[in-house]
Amino acid sequence: MFVETSHLPPQLGNIVHSDPNISTTNINHDDADNNYNARHSSFSAYEANRLSGEGSPMMMSPWNQGSPFTKSPWSKFDDQDGNSQNIPQNGLIGSLVREEGHIYSLATKNDLLYTGSDSKNIRVWKNLKEFAAFKSNSGLVKAIIISGEKIFTGHQDGKVRVWKIQAKNPGSYKRAGTLPTFFDIFKASIKPSNYVEVKRNRTGLWIKHVDAISCLSMDQSHGLLYSASWDRTFKVWNVDNSKCIESVKAHDDAVNSVVTSAEGIVYTGSADGTVKVWQRENSGKNTKHVFVQTLLNQECAVTALAVNRSGSIVYCGSSNGVVNFWEREKQLSHGGVLKGHKLAILCLAAAGNLVLSGSADKTICVWRREKSVHTLLSVLTGHNGPVKCLAVEEDKESTGSDQKWVVYSGSLDKSVKVWSVSEKAPMMMQNNMHGDTVTWDSIPSVKN
């Protein structure tokens, strides 16, 4: 069921109820509605402020804590002539609601939106209406990525599932396989050298993840899929033959995010508080990722990463609510921090000159970049739970003079909200304690 709105926040009524089919792997989701259970790393020696995955942000703050922006004094900027209706505004388009689980992952392509939750269903939406759905054998769809006619989904059980759109029926999806394939597992299990230490006093096949997949990223030009996992590794897959070609022991705790960039550069962020840079090197038929540098080493967990299209800027969200960024010319240099949230950053997305951050404080901050300065344009409010994932696509009405984007946000309130965001939208203004209007001409990023 969906609820469309044009101006006002949607009323979540007439909700369709269905069997949630909630997975019980590693997390007890029955209590998630009221107080989301923190999930520690499955490895020994963790700190309370350095948790894995969804647990990483908020050991000290309950998930259902009210947003600091719920009763925000922020308001839209009106021009001096009073023609505010002619100024592009950032606001809510509609809401998609299906009472079957928290939304953990989103992906969008060609006007289709794919949503993954802690049910077994991956749903497909078009024009704010449900278009199709397909079911996996495992609940909790942690990540979704689209490549051509294939859809890849990463799951709590450590597997990547592959789906194919049926050419004769675009609304039909068929399971095309699982990574790693059963045959590859069987073949690898024969050789003792294929077993590596995956936990203390425990071994496993290097081609298999032994804990939840947290993130997927795709290098389209080289046909490589990257999967990051709570098992502290990221793996590299050849999508043409479904082979795992490399497994990299990347961090000392759960890997929460992996993103690919230009020139074979890969970034990983972890609950161990670090962001690392890897360079892909090809030697004949072999692919190897070599560690280059550590961009960040902090006490709090790294929860999200994003890279802009050109690969010139890298963004990192952390459980302390701060976004760090680095600028890449000949080398990477720290550009500053963005401070707009009260609680943990859970997701990031970059589009054009914008970067969006979703948080456990239930809000989305929209930042516009001009050279090295980031200005806070909007704080999007309306979710009743932490904002867990973001997806962005270009608005069809976008023009060269007014670049617009359609932003999808998935939340642990079991809904997806759809927003219209313009790069030309005015900056926010705020009323001070005396009731006087104070405009913020610029909210620049802060350099250390």
Side-chain angles (χ1 to χ4, degrees), residues 90-162:
N90 294 341
L92 186 67
I93 298 174
S95 185
L96 313 175
V97 182
R98 187 92 190 200
E99 186 90 342
E100 64 178 6
H102 307 286
I103 307 299
Y104 281 90
S105 52
L106 297 171
T108 181
K109 185 179 181 181
N110 298 333
D111 297 326
L112 294 178
L113 175 70
Y114 297 79
T115 61
S117 68
D118 52 13
S119 76
K120 296 182 179 180
N121 299 312
I122 296 100
R123 300 203 174 270
V124 189
W125 307 80
K126 187 174 184 179
N127 298 325
L128 295 178
K129 297 179 181 179
E130 187 169 343
F131 177 70
F134 48 99
K135 182 179 287 189
S136 71
N137 294 330
S138 170
L140 226 171
V141 185
K142 304 277 292 179
I144 305 174
I145 201 160
I146 307 167
S147 177
E149 298 302 308
K150 291 182 179 179
I151 296 99
F152 299 89
T153 54
H155 297 258
Q156 180 80 13
D157 63 5
K159 294 179 181 178
V160 177
R161 290 172 172 83
V162 188

Side-chain angles (χ1 to χ4, degrees), residues 3-215:
V3 183
E4 288 189 78
T5 64
S6 54
H7 300 291
L8 299 176
Q11 299 299 316
L12 307 184
N14 301 321
I15 295 174
V16 175
H17 293 271
S18 61
D19 182 5
N21 291 321
I22 293 177
S23 167
T24 56
T25 306
N26 291 336
I27 301 178
N28 178 4
H29 295 284
D30 295 334
D31 301 326
D33 289 340
N34 299 318
N35 190 5
Y36 191 83
N37 288 333
R39 189 268 186 200
H40 298 285
S41 168
S42 58
F43 299 92
S44 59
Y46 64 84
E47 298 175 17
N49 67 339
R50 188 173 291 182
L51 308 177
S52 306
E54 283 71 39
S56 57
M58 299 316 310
M59 187 66 170
M60 296 175 290
S61 300
W63 286 105
N64 56 3
Q65 177 177 334
S67 163
F69 296 109
T70 300
K71 297 180 180 180
S72 172
W74 295 88
S75 59
K76 296 290 184 182
F77 177 85
D78 291 338
D79 66 356
Q80 295 180 349
D81 298 327
N83 296 322
S84 60
Q85 65 272 19
N86 297 324
I87 299 176
Q89 302 290 344
N90 294 341
L92 186 67
I93 298 174
S95 185
L96 313 175
V97 182
R98 187 92 190 200
E99 186 90 342
E100 64 178 6
H102 307 286
I103 307 299
Y104 281 90
S105 52
L106 297 171
T108 181
K109 185 179 181 181
N110 298 333
D111 297 326
L112 294 178
L113 175 70
Y114 297 79
T115 61
S117 68
D118 52 13
S119 76
K120 296 182 179 180
N121 299 312
I122 296 100
R123 300 203 174 270
V124 189
W125 307 80
K126 187 174 184 179
N127 298 325
L128 295 178
K129 297 179 181 179
E130 187 169 343
F131 177 70
F134 48 99
K135 182 179 287 189
S136 71
N137 294 330
S138 170
L140 226 171
V141 185
K142 304 277 292 179
I144 305 174
I145 201 160
I146 307 167
S147 177
E149 298 302 308
K150 291 182 179 179
I151 296 99
F152 299 89
T153 54
H155 297 258
Q156 180 80 13
D157 63 5
K159 294 179 181 178
V160 177
R161 290 172 172 83
V162 188
W163 313 84
K164 221 170 183 181
I165 304 171
Q166 300 298 292
K168 294 182 179 179
N169 182 6
S172 178
Y173 295 81
K174 185 178 180 180
R175 171 98 162 268
T178 303
L179 305 181
T181 66
F182 176 79
F183 177 76
D184 285 342
I185 293 173
F186 175 75
K187 186 178 176 182
S189 65
I190 299 172
K191 269 190 174 183
S193 61
N194 286 324
Y195 288 85
V196 296
E197 185 177 2
V198 293
K199 295 182 182 179
R200 186 176 298 174
N201 301 322
R202 179 182 166 188
T203 60
L205 292 174
W206 69 271
I207 63 173
K208 288 178 61 177
H209 283 299
V210 295
D211 208 334
I213 288 175
S214 57
C215 184

Side-chain angles (χ1 to χ4, degrees), residues 322-342:
V322 169
V323 177
N324 281 269
F325 70 95
W326 293 263
E327 298 165 313
R328 180 173 177 261
E329 292 180 0
K330 292 183 179 179
Q331 60 182 14
L332 286 157
S333 60
H334 190 255
V337 297
L338 311 179
K339 297 182 178 180
H341 292 285
K342 300 295 184 183

Side-chain angles (χ1 to χ4, degrees), residues 347-351 354-358 364-367 380 390 392 407 421:
C347 50
L348 292 170
L354 298 181
V355 60
L356 301 100
S357 53
I364 303 154
C365 283
V366 183
W367 308 84
L380 305 179
L390 292 167
V392 186
V407 177
V421 173

